[in-house]
Amino acid sequence: MTDRARGSNEQALNEEFAQFSVGGQRVYGMLHRPAGDAPTHGWPSVILLHGFTGSRTSDHRLFPLLSRHLAARGVASLRFDFRGSGESQGDFSEMTVTREIEDTLAAFDYVRRQPGLDPQRVMLLGFSMGGLVAAQSATQARPHRLALWAPALPELWLPFLRGGFLPATITDYNGWPLGRDFLQEVTRLRPLDAAAAWGGEARVFHGDQDKTCPPEYGVRYAQALHCDAVAIPGAGHTFDNLEQVDLLFRETTRFLTGG
């Protein structure tokens, strides 16, 4: 029986809406806690960062399913929408990596204040562009552990530069108003240097058939972090296969719980 099939038999859910403010705008999310009484020092937890144009549910509900999987195994989690994404306030045209780092740091402050959660064992997991944001955030957020799923690199957005030049205003990206400030900033970032400067425990997870963020990206992050890279056989960028998701969840949980 797969982990997904066992899900219906797992402990009762302990979930609540979460919200906090950044720059006068409300950020909305969901906080998942393990059932039962917390241990003496509180439950460990992980903050989940979604990708470009994503939300706190992520593709085919990866984040809610991961949160419930982790809660059944003694790990709390917070998944939230960056400002301008999902249900959080703000407009997507205002989105930049710097703003998403601010949201991430505010999320760490929020989790570290929560009763029953261990403020010393707050971890960070970023998916796709969320992986880039996680790498850029790590030295300030000081996560207990850092996990990256299919992390992006700045060259992913180079095709948005028209003839090598920044667009004058908003770029219409499939109905998303992509701001000039985002493109100006992201293409100048050095997330691998930021990852190398962090120096804590990390692991990278990547589909070996990823066409959006090629597996080479994951290898480069793993080299910068001096950590292992776990390949998910046959998986594309969003791990669109039940067996791949089960393996991803199992290996991610093993890392986050120190197994």
Side-chain angles (χ1 to χ4, degrees), residues 191-213:
L192 297 178
D193 290 347
W198 177 57
E201 289 191 69
R203 192 157 298 167
V204 179
F205 304 85
H206 218 115
D208 65 7
Q209 300 300 312
D210 192 335
K211 299 296 190 291
T212 302
C213 295

Side-chain angles (χ1 to χ4, degrees), residues 39-117:
T40 302
H41 297 293
W43 300 109
S45 62
V46 58
I47 293 171
L48 309 181
L49 307 183
H50 67 74
F52 182 66
T53 71
S55 72
R56 66 179 185 256
T57 58
S58 197
D59 298 84
H60 52 90
R61 301 182 71 224
L62 279 173
F63 277 5
L65 295 173
L66 175 65
S67 289
R68 291 165 184 168
H69 178 92
L70 291 172
R73 290 156 180 82
V75 180
S77 62
L78 171 69
R79 52 186 179 86
F80 69 93
D81 297 322
F82 286 116
R83 283 176 293 164
S85 293
E87 295 180 317
S88 290
Q89 293 182 343
D91 192 84
F92 190 78
S93 63
E94 304 169 319
M95 183 273 298
T96 64
V97 171
T98 292
R99 281 171 60 91
E100 294 200 349
I101 291 171
E102 292 171 352
D103 295 348
T104 301
L105 297 179
F108 268 83
D109 288 341
Y110 176 84
V111 169
R112 285 176 170 143
R113 295 195 307 268
Q114 296 305 304
L117 302 186

Side-chain angles (χ1 to χ4, degrees), residues 218-242:
V219 171
R220 290 166 66 185
Y221 270 103
Q223 290 172 340
L225 291 162
H226 302 288
C227 73
D228 292 336
V230 177
I232 306 298
H237 188 58
T238 54
F239 309 98
D240 300 318
N241 173 289
L242 297 180

Side-chain angles (χ1 to χ4, degrees), residues 93-254:
S93 63
E94 304 169 319
M95 183 273 298
T96 64
V97 171
T98 292
R99 281 171 60 91
E100 294 200 349
I101 291 171
E102 292 171 352
D103 295 348
T104 301
L105 297 179
F108 268 83
D109 288 341
Y110 176 84
V111 169
R112 285 176 170 143
R113 295 195 307 268
Q114 296 305 304
L117 302 186
D118 185 345
Q120 302 302 317
R121 291 190 295 164
V122 184
M123 299 173 281
L124 181 60
L125 185 154
F127 170 51
S128 192
M129 183 174 137
L132 185 155
V133 174
Q136 292 283 157
S137 303
T139 55
Q140 296 177 75
R142 298 173 290 104
H144 178 62
R145 292 180 179 228
L146 175 66
L148 305 181
W149 283 3
L153 283 172
E155 49 257 49
L156 185 64
W157 289 276
L158 289 177
F160 287 90
L161 305 185
R162 300 165 184 170
F165 296 97
L166 287 167
T169 55
I170 297 295
T171 298
D172 186 340
Y173 176 67
N174 297 330
W176 291 91
L178 186 61
R180 184 177 190 274
D181 287 347
F182 168 75
L183 294 173
Q184 183 173 39
E185 178 189 62
V186 74
T187 50
R188 296 176 179 177
L189 293 174
R190 301 176 67 89
L192 297 178
D193 290 347
W198 177 57
E201 289 191 69
R203 192 157 298 167
V204 179
F205 304 85
H206 218 115
D208 65 7
Q209 300 300 312
D210 192 335
K211 299 296 190 291
T212 302
C213 295
E216 174 202 353
Y217 287 12
V219 171
R220 290 166 66 185
Y221 270 103
Q223 290 172 340
L225 291 162
H226 302 288
C227 73
D228 292 336
V230 177
I232 306 298
H237 188 58
T238 54
F239 309 98
D240 300 318
N241 173 289
L242 297 180
E243 187 175 331
Q244 294 162 8
V245 172
D246 284 335
L247 178 59
L248 177 66
F249 282 13
R250 188 164 61 248
E251 291 297 318
T252 300
T253 302
R254 189 158 67 96

